[in-house]
Amino acid sequence: MAENGEEKLIAVARHIAKTLGHTDTMTDDILKIFSSFDGRLREKLAEKLSDDGMEQILDAIDHQITQFISSDRPIWSAGADPGAFLDSVDQLIAAVRDWTPLADDKKISACLDRAEDLLQQSMFRLEEEFRTLVERGAESFDATQAESAHPHHPDFSDEDDDFGDEDENFIPVAQPITDYDIVIDALPLGTVGDLHQIAKRMVSAGYMKECAHAYSSCRRDFLEESFSRLGLQKLSIDDVHRMQWTQLEDEIEKWIKAMNVAFRILFPSERRLCDRVFLGLSSAADLSFMEVCRGSTIQLLNFADAVAIGSRAPERLFKVLDVYETVRDLIPEFDIIFSDQYCVSLRNEAVTIWKRLGEAIRGIFMELENLIRRDPAKEPVPGGRMHPITRYVMNYLRAACRARQTLEQVFEESAAGGGSNLDYRKGDDAALASSSSLGVQIAWIMELLESNLEAKSKIYRDPALCAVFMMNNGRYIVQKAKDNELGMLLGEDWIRKHAAKVRQYHVNYQRSSWSKVLGVLKAESSSMSPNETSKNLKEKLKLFNSYFEEIYKAQSSWVIFDDQLRDEVRSSITGALCPAYRNFLGRLQGASDIGKNTDRYIRYNVEEMEARISQLFAGGSNGRR
């Protein structure tokens, strides 16, 4: 009875172990638990296995498997029976699992060693078949693409078929993609099913990494070819830094297209394919996907990183903004695609580079500040024309502020993260105290520009020309700040304040240029005798003519670039000078000893005076915008 009871217990144990043998560890656990109850039970288990004819079982499995692995013909081919091979592999995997807990027994250990060796050979063959299926399936996919234009497949065909006949090594360039709602079915459905069956066996046997490597090595080739068709080169960080800027601009455009295609089409399609091939094998799917996409992702991120740590010359701002916005807009895709344990480091690297691009943008603005500070005040601009730095800075800021939303984000992130302290730039301006970080930055650059212009204005020896110079530059600044994003950042108060400065420069000009002229035209003292009055009027007229001709000669070569401002200044001169001159001529004609002989003394009548004034500030077209 006791002997019969032990046999029944062993049978139950074996049944439980085999039933649970489809999982990774439960078979071993059950056998260990049962065999640890009693040394006699363990001996009975080993004896029973020996009695069942382990060698005969292994010989049968070996015979079945060897027929397949020794054949040069693919197992997954017409006329072959891959199902029989997989069944034999299943039996072998189950045997290894059943025998492993009893490996202390010498007889069982010898059979186990042989079984594991056979299992390794089976896995090598499965890996080879797996790789062949992936490659053959991809080729089948390409052939199907050449024959039909499926709406769910992007067109990677070359633009002109004639070129294909001329050069067999020619890599066709992808057509522009505007719709990213595309899924690439890279392998036929039947192939995906076959791959899944192989993957299940390899993972079950402990060959997950080998299976993932076989899969990824084939799929990486597809991604590399796709990037080549998008015109993307494999560039190191040093390669990027050695490029001419115009060449780098072209590469950035290609990179932006490649990033969008990769993260909106290629990588999601690869993720979908991995999940189907490794259905129910999440770790294998995640590892395979990481190995497929890691190299391409690092290539793309390294390019962005090279841009971020490269030159911070101000002219690079706009392309760096393009790179920043591309990475920023794709961060949600990174979060979705690279969320697993193997890929999360890639997602974190993308965020790091995105932040680094933000630092680069802030660094470019600092370089713009330095450019303004370093612009020397050497030679005065002829004719008080607008200085080139004013045109450069204002057009630069106006263009930059078209990306206001992105720049706001860049500078707000810096302020929130303590990356830089903009408080010192706010100064005492209450309006700026409540401005955004970008508004403070822009206002600070404007302050630096004004200080630079004021230093340059001091080079002019003539205070009137100094005022014209500041008037020209101030007017241009106000004009460029009006009715756009730049003006919205600076605020209406700032614009009104600087428009008032321009008016003050106008007043300063008129005072320094025409005060002495108007002083000459003032009425004479009533205490003078008629002869003294006539003599004084003659001297004043002579002095007036000298002053006016001197001013006219100098200021006709001066420039006021803005038509409206030029007319305003001319009108103000005419309005102040001509009435005073007309009164003066009246007094001159009323003098007793001059009378009808005034033509001998008067060089300009009022109309001629107005005509001369209308010729001022037209020093040449170089002063125009």
Side-chain angles (χ1 to χ4, degrees):
M1 288 290 293
E3 186 71 22
N4 187 43
E6 288 179 350
E7 289 182 359
K8 288 183 178 179
L9 181 58
I10 291 171
V12 170
R14 288 169 60 82
H15 176 71
I16 292 172
K18 287 184 178 180
T19 302
L20 299 175
H22 297 292
T23 65
D24 291 338
T25 61
M26 293 182 72
T27 301
D28 296 347
D29 294 341
I30 290 295
L31 288 171
K32 287 178 181 177
I33 290 169
F34 276 103
S35 61
S36 65
F37 284 140
D38 193 300
R40 291 175 299 166
L41 180 58
R42 182 179 182 83
E43 292 173 6
K44 287 292 181 182
L45 282 169
E47 181 183 341
K48 188 65 180 175
L49 285 171
S50 179
D51 291 344
D52 283 345
M54 290 176 61
E55 298 248 358
Q56 290 83 353
I57 294 172
L58 189 55
D59 286 342
I61 296 174
D62 191 344
H63 176 72
Q64 294 169 355
I65 289 178
T66 302
Q67 292 182 59
F68 290 97
I69 64 176
S70 62
S71 173
D72 293 334
R73 179 186 178 189
I75 297 174
W76 272 263
S77 62
D81 188 5
F85 178 61
L86 291 177
D87 288 342
S88 299
V89 171
D90 288 338
Q91 293 175 32
L92 181 59
I93 292 172
V96 170
R97 286 181 175 172
D98 283 349
W99 301 345
T100 298
L102 306 172
D104 292 343
D105 184 277
K106 290 183 179 180
K107 292 182 180 179
I108 296 177
S109 178
C111 288
L112 183 60
D113 288 344
R114 181 183 164 197
E116 287 178 341
D117 182 62
L118 182 60
L119 181 62
Q120 186 180 54
Q121 295 177 52
S122 301
M123 291 301 112
F124 288 164
R125 183 54 188 263
L126 280 178
E127 181 181 345
E128 181 183 333
E129 294 290 331
F130 190 93
R131 194 185 303 273
T132 300
L133 281 171
V134 175
E135 293 173 349
R136 194 167 63 201
E139 291 170 1
S140 171
F141 167 76
D142 290 341
T144 303
Q145 288 298 93
E147 294 173 3
S148 63
H150 194 286
H152 295 294
H153 298 312
D155 179 14
F156 289 116
S157 61
D158 51 322
E159 294 182 7
D160 191 341
D161 293 339
D162 293 338
F163 288 109
D165 298 331
E166 295 178 9
D167 185 0
E168 292 181 357
N169 297 320
F170 175 76
I171 297 177
V173 179
Q175 298 291 330
I177 296 175
T178 56
D179 179 14
Y180 292 105
D181 188 17
I182 297 171
V183 175
I184 300 175
D185 292 322
L187 296 175
L189 191 59
T191 301
V192 171
D194 292 337
L195 291 171
H196 175 62
Q197 293 302 321
I198 296 175
K200 280 201 304 184
R201 273 71 180 186
M202 293 189 71
V203 172
S204 178
Y207 285 76
M208 182 183 78
K209 290 184 178 179
E210 289 79 1
C211 186
H213 179 71
Y215 175 85
S216 62
S217 62
C218 299
R219 295 307 304 162
R220 277 197 301 268
D221 293 341
F222 171 77
L223 288 182
E224 289 177 4
E225 183 179 353
S226 297
F227 284 129
S228 294
R229 292 183 178 188
L230 289 166
L232 196 66
Q233 302 180 57
K234 286 186 176 181
L235 300 169
S236 68
I237 290 177
D238 289 339
D239 290 336
V240 174
H241 290 169
R242 284 193 293 265
M243 278 187 178
Q244 296 293 323
W245 176 237
T246 53
Q247 184 184 0
L248 183 55
E249 285 183 304
D250 293 338
E251 289 300 321
I252 288 174
E253 288 298 320
K254 295 175 186 175
W255 175 87
I256 291 171
K257 293 175 183 176
M259 279 287 286
N260 280 291
V261 171
F263 284 91
R264 300 186 192 278
I265 299 176
L266 296 176
F267 291 170
S269 296
E270 290 299 325
R271 177 77 253 188
R272 178 171 176 264
L273 182 59
C274 275
D275 290 343
R276 293 170 66 192
V277 170
F278 298 96
L279 182 64
L281 309 168
S282 59
S283 292
D286 294 343
L287 177 61
S288 299
F289 177 71
M290 182 276 290
E291 290 191 359
V292 170
C293 298
R294 184 175 184 275
S296 298
T297 303
I298 289 174
Q299 177 187 348
L300 291 167
L301 291 179
N302 279 349
F303 182 89
D305 199 24
V307 172
I309 65 177
S311 169
R312 296 190 174 179
E315 64 269 16
R316 298 194 171 206
L317 172 67
F318 306 100
K319 284 299 178 183
V320 177
L321 276 170
D322 289 343
V323 175
Y324 174 90
E325 290 174 342
T326 299
V327 177
R328 177 200 64 193
D329 294 346
L330 289 173
I331 289 296
E333 310 301 327
F334 275 92
D335 290 338
I336 294 170
I337 299 170
F338 293 154
S339 59
D340 62 80
Q341 58 177 327
Y342 297 106
C343 292
V344 68
S345 61
L346 294 174
R347 183 264 177 199
N348 294 339
E349 181 66 13
V351 172
T352 298
I353 291 172
W354 173 37
K355 301 296 183 185
R356 199 172 290 150
L357 286 162
E359 293 171 6
I361 292 169
R362 293 188 291 272
I364 288 172
F365 273 87
M366 291 182 65
E367 187 57 33
L368 178 64
E369 295 175 17
N370 293 332
L371 183 148
I372 296 170
R373 289 190 187 97
R374 292 193 298 260
D375 193 63
K378 292 182 179 179
E379 297 295 327
V381 180
R385 291 174 169 84
M386 181 176 60
H387 198 279
I389 192 142
T390 304
R391 188 191 308 276
Y392 175 83
V393 171
M394 294 309 300
N395 285 320
Y396 185 93
L397 292 179
R398 184 166 174 148
C401 287
R402 295 190 188 114
R404 176 184 173 185
Q405 186 176 0
T406 297
L407 289 173
E408 290 275 15
Q409 181 181 11
V410 168
F411 282 95
E412 290 300 331
E413 284 175 353
S414 174
S420 63
N421 185 4
L422 297 176
D423 289 344
Y424 75 96
R425 297 178 179 176
K426 292 184 179 180
D428 298 326
D429 197 325
L432 288 179
S434 60
S435 294
S436 67
S437 297
L438 176 61
V440 173
Q441 174 67 53
I442 296 296
W444 172 248
I445 291 174
M446 297 305 304
E447 186 176 329
L448 288 175
L449 176 61
E450 289 180 69
S451 298
N452 182 276
L453 292 172
E454 287 171 3
K456 287 177 167 61
S457 71
K458 292 180 171 60
I459 304 174
Y460 294 102
R461 296 180 180 179
D462 188 337
L465 185 53
C466 171
V468 168
F469 173 77
M470 292 302 295
M471 200 181 344
N472 271 321
N473 288 277
R475 179 73 164 207
Y476 191 81
I477 289 170
V478 171
Q479 279 186 334
K480 287 294 180 180
K482 277 184 177 179
D483 304 324
N484 55 61
E485 294 287 344
L486 176 59
M488 292 176 66
L489 277 169
L490 293 169
E492 288 297 326
D493 289 343
W494 188 95
I495 292 174
R496 281 194 294 270
K497 176 181 176 181
H498 285 76
K501 283 186 177 181
V502 175
R503 291 193 294 272
Q504 185 59 50
Y505 295 140
H506 182 177
V507 170
N508 293 345
Y509 156 76
Q510 194 142 330
R511 184 184 298 123
S512 57
S513 271
W514 299 99
S515 292
K516 63 180 181 180
V517 179
L518 290 169
V520 170
L521 299 178
K522 286 182 179 178
E524 299 73 28
S525 173
S526 58
S527 61
M528 288 185 180
S529 65
N531 288 334
E532 289 175 333
T533 299
S534 296
K535 183 179 179 181
N536 183 259
L537 285 171
K538 292 176 185 178
E539 290 175 352
K540 282 187 173 184
L541 182 60
K542 184 178 180 181
L543 194 58
F544 171 83
N545 289 335
S546 174
Y547 284 163
F548 182 80
E549 288 175 358
E550 178 186 344
I551 291 173
Y552 173 78
K553 182 179 179 181
Q555 297 190 12
S556 59
S557 65
W558 293 3
V559 173
I560 295 179
F561 80 92
D562 181 71
D563 294 339
Q564 183 180 348
L565 179 61
R566 186 168 59 249
D567 290 342
E568 288 174 0
V569 174
R570 287 170 177 171
S571 295
S572 67
I573 296 170
T574 301
L577 187 61
C578 289
Y581 185 60
R582 187 177 287 108
N583 289 335
F584 177 82
L585 293 181
R587 296 197 308 275
L588 185 66
Q589 290 171 347
S592 58
D593 62 338
I594 297 177
K596 296 180 180 180
N597 298 318
T598 54
D599 291 343
R600 291 173 53 191
Y601 305 100
I602 298 173
R603 193 171 298 174
Y604 309 105
N605 60 33
V606 175
E607 290 73 21
E608 289 171 335
M609 184 75 65
E610 289 178 347
R612 287 296 180 102
I613 292 171
S614 68
Q615 295 172 2
L616 299 178
F617 314 116
S621 59
N622 291 337
R624 304 294 184 106
R625 279 180 296 178

